[in-house]
C-alpha cells in the first residue's frame, strides 16, 4: 500500500469525494482516506502522478509520503499544527465579535448605552455592524474559499454549508441596510425600525466564530488521539555510542549500520535492535511491551531499540537499524492501522456522500415552504440558515476513525498491536479461538514436573544421579533435567564411559558404579520394575508427562517426569475467553492422550490432536464454517492458519513469519493478552456504535427543529446562532467520547459475560491430508526409541524435509511414522534420515 498526504479536507463529505475520484483512476484496486490523519492509502498499479492529479482536480492537494522524510521528522510529522492556527483565528474573531454583539444585542434588547455619534443613527448602527461582520468574515475566509471551491467542483462539504449560511445572512442583512437607508431618506421611520429588526449581521459573524470554536476544540481533541503514536516516536533514541576502528564514537542513532558494535551504559536507551556480546543487565521493555518488570539480558540475548538499560554495561552488535527496528515496525503498524478503514465506517461513508447535497436541498425547500406559508423573507431565511449550520457531516465522518485511533493507542500501550482497523473491529466479533499448544498454551520448553524416588532413596540422590548422567546428553528432555540441576546448583562429577543408546536411554559410570537412565522399556532390560512403579509411570504419562527412570548398579532410584508445562497465565486466559462467550479449541500435533491431558489442565472446550502443519490451515477453514475464528500461534507452521483465520493473533516471541502473517501481534507473548485484545475491540466497537448513534440522532432531531417543523406544534424556533453552536459541539462530543477509551480498563473482566454460541467441532476432519494426486502412496515405518512428543517432532521434521515426502504422521506411543509420498523414494533414504536422528528403524512397509 502506498500512502499519501491529503490536505484541504474538512469533513466526511470531502473524504468521500477524494475516495470516489481516486477509485476511478485506472489501476487503483482499493483506496482508503482518513480524515483524522489527513492521509490516504492506495493499492494497485496506478502511477502516483495520476493519483495526485485526480485529487488536485477534485479541489484538494496530495503528495506521496516520503519514508525518509517522515522518519527523520519523527513525532514532528504528527505535531498538532492546526490547533494553534485555529486558536489564533478564534481569539481575533472574538475581539471583533464582542463589540458587534454589544451593538446588535446589548443595545437593541437591553438598551445598553451607545457612543454619541451612534445615538438615533440607525444607518450608522447598521454600517458598524456590517464593518465588524466583514472583518470577521475576512478572518475566517477559509470557510468561504473551501466551501465555494467545493461547490464549484460539485462536491459540497461542511464548509459549503457554513459559507452558504453566513453568506445568506450577510447578504440579506446588507439588503436590509440599503433598504433602511432609502426608507430613512424618505422619512419613513416606521419602515426604518422594521428593517432594523431584519439585520442578521451578528448571526453571520456568530456562525463563523462558533464554527471556528468547534473546529478548535475538535482539532485539539484529534491531536490527543495521536498521543500514543507521538509517544512511541519520541521514544526513539537520538544518539548512540559505537566502536569504530577501536575508538568509541558518539553518533546519531540513524547513522548506526547493521553489524556495528555499540555500547550501552546504565540508564541509557538502547539505540537500535541488537544482540548482546558482553555484559549482563536488566532491561526495561515497558515502552514496547507494556510490561513493567525489567527483563534480564546476558550474552546471546536480543535487545530492542528504545528499551532502557537499567543496571549493567552492555556491548552489543547491531542487527536491525533504521526502519527495521522493532520500534519502527510498531510505529508503522499503528500508523497503518490509522490509515485503514474499518468495515463499519462504510455506513457513515455512504451517508456522507449524499449528506451535504441533501441538506442544501432541505434548506432551500424550508425557505420556499415558509415563504409560501406567508412568512417574511427574514423569517424564512433564518430557518433555512439554521438548517445549513446545524447539520454536521463531520460527526459522522469522525465517529469511526477517532475511536479506531484511540483504541490503537490504548492497545499499543499494553503491548497489543492491531495491524489494521479491520482487525481491530473483527477481533471483538470472534466466536471461536483456536490456540496452538506448543509455545502458546505451553512454554515450548520441557521442564521437570515430578520427582518420585523409591523407598529408601532421597530426592537429592535421585536428582544428582540424573543430573550427572544427563549432562552429556543433547536430548531436549535431558536439557530439562540439566537446567533443573543448574538451578539447584549441583556440582557433581561428570560420568565416565558415557553412551547414548539411540532413542532409548543413557548409560555411564560414576565412582565405579553403573548408571542407567531412560524409558520403561530400556530400564526393564536391566532390572525388574514393580507394578506400583509402573502404575505411577502410567499416571504420569496420562497427564501428558514423560516418565524417565534412573538406576544405579541395577537398583532403581526413582522416576523424574518431564513435560512441556503450560504457562502460568494460560488457564486464566482461557477461562476469561470462555466467560466472554467464546468457544476455545486447542490444536496440536501431539498424540491424543498427551493433548487431552494438556487440554484438561488448560481448560479448553475441545482438543484437536494429531494435526499436521498443513492440517492446521484446513482445520481453521472448517472451524470458519461454524463462526468467526481467531487463530493464536507463534511458529512458522502456524503462518498458513493465521492467514486463513478471520483474525490471526501472533505471540510476540514467535517467528517473524508468524508475526507477518498475523493481524494482531502480542508483544508480551502472554496468552492473557488474547482476551484483553478482544475486550478492547469490543470496547472500541461499542464506542463507534455510540458515536454513530449520536451523530445520526443529532442530525435526525436537529434538522427538523432548525427547519421549524416544531413551531406549529410546540412553538420552538431555533436561532441560527444556536444551530451553529450545536453544530460545533457535535463533532467535539464525538471526539471526546472516543477519548473516553483511554479510561477503559481492558484487564477488567466485569463486563465479559456473554451467552456462548453452541458450536460442535466433533465432526471436523483433522486428518486434512487432501490427496494432491491420485497416485499418492504411503509407507509405514516402525521406529524404535521415540520417547516423547519432542522425539516425534524431530522425526517428523526430518522426514518432511525430504522433497519426496508430502507429510509424515509420527507417534512415539505406536512407534510408527506413516509417510505420505508425492514421488517414489528408496527405503534406504527414509531409514538413513531417521537413523541420523539417533532412532532405530526396525521395518518399512
Amino acid at each position: 500500500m502506498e500512502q499519501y498526504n491529503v490536505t484541504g479536507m474538512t469533513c466526511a463529505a470531502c473524504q468521500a469525494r477524494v475516495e470516489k475520484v481516486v477509485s476511478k483512476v485506472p489501476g487503483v484496486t482499493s483506496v482508503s482516506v482518513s480524515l483524522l490523519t489527513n492521509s490516504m492509502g492506495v493499492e494497485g498499479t496506478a502511477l502516483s502522478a495520476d493519483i495526485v492529479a485526480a485529487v488536485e482536480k477534485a479541489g484538494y492537494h496530495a503528495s506521496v509520503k516520503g519514508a525518509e522524510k517522515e522518519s527523520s521528522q519523527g513525532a514532528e510529522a504528527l505535531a498538532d499544527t492546526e490547533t494553534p492556527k485555529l486558536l489564533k483565528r478564534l481569539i481575533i474573531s472574538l475581539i471583533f465579535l464582542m463589540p458587534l454583539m454589544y451593538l446588535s444585542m446589548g443595545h437593541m434588547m437591553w438598551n445598553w448605552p451607545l457612543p454619541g455619534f451612534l445615538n438615533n443613527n440607525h444607518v450608522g448602527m447598521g454600517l458598524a455592524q456590517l464593518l465588524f461582520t466583514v472583518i470577521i468574515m475576512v478572518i475566517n475566509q477559509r470557510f468561504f474559499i473551501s466551501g465555494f471551491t467545493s461547490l464549484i467542483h460539485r462536491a459540497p462539504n461542511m464548509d459549503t454549508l457554513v459559507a452558504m449560511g453566513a453568506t445568506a445572512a450577510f447578504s440579506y442583512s446588507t439588503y436590509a441596510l440599503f433598504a433602511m437607508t432609502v426608507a430613512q431618506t424618505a422619512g419613513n421611520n416606521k419602515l426604518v425600525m422594521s428593517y432594523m429588526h431584519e439585520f442578521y449581521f451578528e448571526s453571520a459573524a456568530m456562525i463563523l466564530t462558533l464554527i471556528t470554536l468547534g473546529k478548535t476544540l475538535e482539532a485539539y481533541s484529534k491531536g490527543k488521539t495521536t498521543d500514543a503514536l507521538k509517544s512511541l516516536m519520541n521514544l526513539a533514541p537520538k544518539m548512540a555510542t559505537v566502536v569504530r576502528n577501536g575508538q568509541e564514537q558518539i553518533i546519531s542513532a540513524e547513522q548506526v549500520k547493521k553489524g556495528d558494535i555499540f555500547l550501552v551504559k546504565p540508564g541509557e536507551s538502547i539505540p537500535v535492535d541488537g544482540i548482546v556480546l558482553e555484559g549482563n543487565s536488566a532491561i526495561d521493555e515497558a515502552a514496547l511491551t507494556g510490561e513493567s518488570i525489567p527483563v534480564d539480558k546476558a550474552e546471546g540475548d536480543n535487545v530492542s531499540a528504545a528499551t532502557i538499560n537499567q543496571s549493567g554495561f552492555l556491548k552489543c552488535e547491531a542487527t536491525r537499524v533504521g526502519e527495521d527496528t522493532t520500534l519502527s515496525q510498531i510505529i508503522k503498524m499503528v500508523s497503518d492501522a490509522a490509515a485503514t478503514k474499518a468495515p463499519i465506517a462504510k455506513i457513515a461513508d455512504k451517508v456522507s456522500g449524499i449528506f451535504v447535497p441533501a441538506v442544501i436541498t432541505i434548506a432551500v425547500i424550508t425557505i420556499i415552504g415558509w415563504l409560501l406559508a406567508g412568512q417574511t423573507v427574514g423569517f424564512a431565511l433564518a430557518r433555512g440558515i439554521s438548517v445549513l449550520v446545524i447539520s454536521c457531516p463531520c460527526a459522522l465522518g469522525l465517529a469511526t476513525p477517532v475511536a479506531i485511533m484511540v483504541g490503537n493507542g490504548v492497545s499499543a500501550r499494553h503491548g497489543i498491536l492491531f495491524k489494521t482497523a479491520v482487525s481491530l473491529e473483527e477481533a471483538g466479533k470472534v466466536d471461536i479461538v483456536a490456540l496452538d499448544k506448543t509455545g502458546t498454551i505451553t512454554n515450548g520448553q520441557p521442564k521437570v514436573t515430578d520427582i518420585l524416588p523409591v523407598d529408601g532413596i532421597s530426592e537429592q540422590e535421585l536428582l544428582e544421579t540424573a543430573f550427572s548422567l544427563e549432562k552429556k546428553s543433547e536430548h531436549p528432555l535431558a536439557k530439562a533435567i540439566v537446567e533443573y540441576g543448574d538451578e539447584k546448583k549441583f556440582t557433581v562429577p561428570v560420568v565416565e564411559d558415557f553412551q547414548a543408546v539411540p532413542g532409548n536411554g543413557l548409560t555411564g559410570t560414576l565412582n565405579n558404579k553403573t548408571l542407567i537412565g531412560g524409558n520403561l522399556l530400556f530400564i526393564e532390560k536391566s532390572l525388574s520394575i514393580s507394578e506400583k512403579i509402573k502404575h505411577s509411570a502410567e499416571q504420569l504419562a496420562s497427564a501428558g508427562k514423560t516418565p524417565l527412570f534412573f538406576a544405579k548398579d541395577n537398583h532403581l532410584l526413582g522416576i523424574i517426569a518431564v513435560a512441556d508445562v503450560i504457562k502460568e497465565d494460560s488457564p486464566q486466559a482461557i477461562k476469561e475467553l470462555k466467560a466472554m462467550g467464546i468457544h476455545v479449541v486447542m490444536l496440536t500435533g501431539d498424540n491424543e492422550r498427551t493433548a487431552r491431558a494438556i487440554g484438561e489442565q488448560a481448560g479448553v472446550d475441545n482438543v484437536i490432536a494429531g494435526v499436521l502443519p498443513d492440517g492446521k490451515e484446513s482445520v481453521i477453514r472448517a472451524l470458519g464454517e461454524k463462526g468467526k475464528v481467531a487463530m493464536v500461534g507463534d511458529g512458522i507452521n502456524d503462518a498458513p492458519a493465521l492467514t486463513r483465520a478471520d483474525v490471526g493473533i501472533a505471540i510476540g516471541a514467535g517467528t517473524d513469519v508468524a508475526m507477518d502473517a498475523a493481524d494482531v501481534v502480542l508483544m508480551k507473548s502472554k496468552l492473557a493478552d488474547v482476551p484483553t485484545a478482544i475486550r478492547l475491540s469490543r470496547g472500541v466497537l461499542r464506542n463507534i456504535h455510540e458515536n454513530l448513534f449520536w451523530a445520526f440522532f443529532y442530525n435526525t432531531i436537529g434538522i427538523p427543529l432548525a427547519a421549524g417543523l416544531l413551531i406549529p406544534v410546540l412553538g420552538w424556533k431555533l436561532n441560527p446562532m444556536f444551530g451553529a453552536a450545536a453544530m460545533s459541539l457535535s463533532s467535539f462530543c464525538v471526539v471526546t467520547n472516543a477519548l473516553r477509551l483511554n479510561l477503559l480498563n481492558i484487564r477488567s473482566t466485569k463486563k465479559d459475560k456473554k451467552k456462548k454460541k453452541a458450536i460442535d467441532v466433533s465432526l471436523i476432519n483433522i486428518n486434512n491430508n487432501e490427496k494432491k494426486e491420485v497416485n499418492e502412496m504411503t509407507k509405514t515405518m516402525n521406529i524404535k526409541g521415540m520417547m516423547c512428543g519432542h522425539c516425534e517432532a524431530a522425526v517428523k521434521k526430518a522426514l518432511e524435509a525430504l522433497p519426496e515426502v508430502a507429510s509424515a504422521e509420527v507417534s512415539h506411543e505406536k512407534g510408527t511414522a506413516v509417510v505420505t509420498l508425492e514421488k517414489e523414494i528408496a527405503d534406504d533414504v527414509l531409514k538413513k534420515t531417521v537413523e541420523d536422528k539417533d532412532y532405530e528403524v526396525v521395518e518399512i512397509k
Side-chain angles (χ1 to χ4, degrees):
M1 177 185 287
E2 188 166 24
Q3 293 208 23
Y4 297 78
N5 293 311
V6 181
T7 56
M9 297 188 298
T10 59
C11 70
C14 300
Q15 176 181 290
R17 171 68 174 168
V18 173
E19 282 191 357
K20 186 176 181 181
V21 297
V22 174
S23 64
K24 292 181 179 179
V25 175
V28 172
T29 55
S30 71
V31 58
S32 174
V33 179
S34 172
L35 174 66
L36 181 64
T37 57
N38 290 318
S39 62
M40 173 175 67
V42 181
E43 290 185 352
T45 58
L47 297 174
S48 300
D50 294 339
I51 293 170
V52 170
V55 176
E56 299 277 350
K57 189 176 180 182
Y60 306 93
H61 302 286
S63 61
V64 179
K65 281 191 177 181
E68 292 179 6
K69 185 178 178 182
E70 294 290 329
S71 176
S72 63
Q73 287 178 338
E76 294 175 13
L78 289 176
D80 183 8
T81 57
E82 195 66 20
T83 302
K85 294 177 184 176
L86 287 167
L87 188 60
K88 184 179 179 181
R89 267 172 53 190
L90 176 62
I91 292 172
I92 299 173
S93 297
L94 286 170
I95 290 172
F96 289 98
L97 181 65
M98 285 189 286
L100 172 60
M101 296 303 294
Y102 185 93
L103 292 175
S104 62
M105 305 290 286
H107 174 70
M108 297 291 292
M109 296 179 65
W110 301 297
N111 201 29
W112 289 355
L114 290 173
F117 66 91
L118 289 179
N119 274 324
N120 298 318
N121 184 354
H122 301 303
V123 174
M125 278 275 290
L127 287 171
Q129 291 183 44
L130 182 145
L131 177 62
F132 283 124
T133 304
V134 168
I135 293 172
I136 292 172
M137 290 174 74
V138 171
I139 293 168
N140 294 283
Q141 59 184 284
R142 183 174 170 181
F143 289 123
F144 299 96
I145 295 170
S146 170
F148 289 122
T149 300
S150 298
L151 193 61
I152 291 168
H153 285 92
R154 292 180 295 176
N157 57 20
M158 190 207 77
D159 287 350
T160 305
L161 300 179
V162 175
M164 289 180 69
T167 301
F170 178 79
S171 300
Y172 182 73
S173 301
T174 304
Y175 159 76
L177 175 61
F178 281 102
M180 183 183 71
T181 304
V182 173
Q184 182 166 315
T185 304
N188 190 340
N189 290 330
K190 185 177 180 181
L191 193 57
V192 168
M193 294 305 297
S194 172
Y195 279 120
M196 275 291 290
H197 293 288
E198 293 293 306
F199 285 170
Y200 286 99
F201 287 121
E202 78 283 355
S203 290
M206 182 64 85
I207 286 169
L208 295 171
T209 305
L210 286 172
I211 298 299
T212 302
L213 170 64
K215 283 283 187 184
T216 304
L217 293 173
E218 180 187 320
Y220 175 75
S221 298
K222 282 164 67 177
K224 286 291 182 185
T225 64
T226 58
D227 278 354
L229 190 53
K230 286 183 281 190
S231 297
L232 283 172
M233 288 181 168
N234 285 328
L235 288 173
K238 303 295 186 289
M239 307 301 290
T241 302
V242 298
V243 178
R244 289 180 178 171
N245 301 320
Q247 299 291 322
E248 291 186 17
Q249 299 178 20
I250 298 177
I251 62 173
S252 166
E254 295 175 357
Q255 294 177 310
V256 179
K257 298 176 182 177
K258 185 177 179 180
D260 276 349
I261 304 300
F262 63 90
L263 309 176
V264 190
K265 299 175 184 177
E268 291 183 345
S269 292
I270 294 170
V272 296
D273 289 6
I275 185 168
V276 178
L277 300 179
E278 294 178 17
N280 294 276
S281 184
I283 304 296
D284 181 359
E285 297 184 338
L288 300 186
T289 66
E291 186 61 66
S292 58
I293 301 173
V295 179
D296 290 329
K297 298 288 183 179
E299 185 178 332
D301 289 335
N302 293 316
V303 291
S304 300
T307 57
I308 299 171
N309 179 18
Q310 290 195 328
S311 52
F313 179 84
L314 294 177
K315 183 178 182 181
C316 311
E317 179 183 344
T319 54
R320 291 179 179 177
V321 298
E323 294 182 358
D324 293 329
T325 64
T326 303
L327 175 66
S328 296
Q329 293 300 311
I330 291 173
I331 292 171
K332 185 177 184 300
M333 284 185 197
V334 178
S335 300
D336 286 351
T340 57
K341 186 165 291 184
I344 196 171
K346 293 176 183 177
I347 301 171
D349 288 349
K350 289 178 181 178
V351 174
S352 300
I354 59 172
F355 186 85
V356 176
V359 168
I360 294 173
T361 303
I362 293 171
V364 172
I365 293 172
T366 298
I367 294 170
I368 295 172
W370 283 113
L371 289 173
L372 292 176
Q375 291 292 342
T376 64
V377 174
F379 182 93
L381 196 61
R383 305 290 76 74
I385 293 170
S386 295
V387 169
L388 289 174
V389 297
I390 200 172
S391 307
C392 190
C394 278
L396 286 171
L398 291 171
T400 300
V402 292
I404 294 291
M405 176 62 91
V406 178
N408 262 297
V410 172
S411 65
R413 285 201 302 273
H414 287 84
I416 301 168
L417 302 178
F418 291 90
K419 290 186 178 178
T420 62
V422 176
S423 61
L424 181 52
E425 178 180 336
E426 292 298 305
K429 300 177 181 177
V430 297
D431 303 304
I432 304 167
V433 169
L435 304 172
D436 175 50
K437 180 185 80 72
T438 306
T440 301
I441 293 179
T442 67
N443 285 309
Q445 296 290 335
K447 299 287 182 183
V448 172
T449 59
D450 299 86
I451 302 167
L452 304 175
V454 298
D455 294 338
I457 301 295
S458 68
E459 189 174 292
Q460 178 83 2
E461 183 180 356
L462 171 59
L463 282 169
E464 288 183 351
T465 302
F467 178 71
S468 59
L469 188 60
E470 298 284 9
K471 200 155 178 68
K472 282 195 172 184
S473 174
E474 295 183 357
H475 194 281
L477 300 183
K479 289 180 181 178
I481 295 176
V482 172
E483 283 180 8
Y484 189 83
D486 288 336
E487 288 175 11
K488 297 292 183 180
K489 298 182 179 179
F490 290 158
T491 55
V492 295
V494 181
V495 298
E496 298 173 353
D497 301 324
F498 176 82
Q499 185 178 359
V501 181
N504 286 301
L506 311 169
T507 63
T509 304
L510 182 63
N511 298 328
N512 297 319
K513 293 183 179 179
T514 303
L515 307 183
I516 304 174
N519 60 18
L520 179 61
L521 292 175
F522 180 69
I523 290 290
E524 280 190 314
K525 292 177 183 177
S526 304
L527 64 154
S528 60
I529 305 295
S530 69
E531 290 302 318
K532 180 182 177 182
I533 297 295
K534 288 182 180 179
H535 180 68
S536 297
E538 182 66 27
Q539 286 182 319
L540 291 169
S542 298
K545 303 172 184 178
T546 301
L548 301 175
F549 295 78
F550 294 91
K552 183 187 295 184
D553 277 350
N554 293 327
H555 293 289
L556 184 67
L557 300 179
I559 301 173
I560 296 179
V562 177
D564 181 9
V565 297
I566 64 174
K567 296 178 180 178
E568 291 181 5
D569 65 328
S570 292
Q572 179 60 30
I574 292 167
K575 182 180 178 182
E576 289 182 20
L577 287 170
K578 292 165 73 173
M580 297 168 86
I582 295 169
H583 197 90
V584 185
V585 178
M586 184 181 84
L587 303 183
T588 178
D590 278 352
N591 61 78
E592 189 78 20
R593 187 170 71 169
T594 301
R596 293 267 173 218
I598 295 293
E600 286 178 15
Q601 292 176 48
V604 299
D605 291 306
N606 289 92
V607 173
I608 302 181
V611 184
L612 304 176
D614 56 343
K616 287 184 182 179
E617 187 268 348
S618 301
V619 171
I620 294 298
R621 188 189 305 135
L623 287 171
E625 296 174 3
K626 300 176 181 295
K628 281 194 176 291
V629 183
M631 169 68 191
V632 186
D634 70 328
I636 291 175
N637 60 356
D638 295 324
L642 290 170
T643 305
R644 169 64 61 182
D646 295 292
V647 181
I649 303 176
I651 297 292
T655 64
D656 289 341
V657 175
M659 292 173 70
D660 288 342
D663 304 298
V664 186
V665 178
L666 309 180
M667 296 300 294
K668 292 186 200 172
S669 300
K670 289 187 175 180
L671 193 59
D673 282 341
V674 175
T676 300
I678 294 172
R679 201 174 289 122
L680 174 63
S681 173
R682 289 181 178 179
V684 170
L685 269 175
R686 198 162 49 241
N687 193 276
I688 290 172
H689 290 148
E690 291 168 358
N691 286 347
L692 287 174
F693 170 78
W694 286 113
F696 280 114
F697 179 78
Y698 164 83
N699 285 296
T700 303
I701 298 298
I703 292 175
L705 175 63
L709 296 183
L710 298 181
I711 293 175
V713 182
L714 300 172
W716 290 358
K717 186 168 63 174
L718 186 71
N719 187 294
M721 289 187 289
F722 292 111
M727 180 188 192
S728 299
L729 289 174
S730 62
S731 296
F732 174 68
C733 289
V734 164
V735 178
T736 305
N737 185 50
L739 288 172
R740 286 194 312 112
L741 285 169
N742 284 307
L743 305 177
L744 181 66
N745 183 1
I746 59 176
R747 304 287 183 193
S748 173
T749 61
K750 291 181 180 178
K751 297 182 180 179
D752 282 351
K753 293 181 181 178
K754 185 178 178 182
K755 188 176 180 182
K756 202 167 187 176
K757 182 178 178 181
I759 296 173
D760 180 15
V761 303
S762 60
L763 298 178
I764 291 178
N765 175 24
I766 65 168
N767 296 315
N768 288 282
N769 304 320
E770 298 174 6
K771 303 298 179 186
K772 297 177 184 177
E773 295 181 14
V774 178
N775 62 350
E776 271 189 351
M777 59 181 293
T778 61
K779 290 187 177 184
T780 302
M781 305 175 67
N782 292 325
I783 302 172
K784 193 175 179 182
M786 293 190 295
M787 299 167 60
C788 63
H790 293 282
C791 300
E792 288 179 358
V795 172
K796 182 181 181 66
K797 185 176 180 181
L799 288 170
E800 290 182 345
L802 296 170
E804 296 87 355
V805 176
S807 63
E809 193 172 343
V810 185
S811 169
H812 79 272
E813 291 181 327
K814 296 178 182 177
T816 61
V818 180
V819 184
T820 303
L821 302 174
E822 291 182 339
K823 299 176 183 176
E824 280 286 349
I825 186 172
D827 290 351
D828 290 345
V829 176
L830 292 173
K831 183 177 180 181
K832 184 176 184 304
T833 300
V834 174
E835 291 188 341
D836 282 348
K837 293 296 177 182
D838 292 333
Y839 301 99
E840 183 183 347
V841 177
V842 179
E843 182 184 16
I844 300 178
K845 55 185 178 181

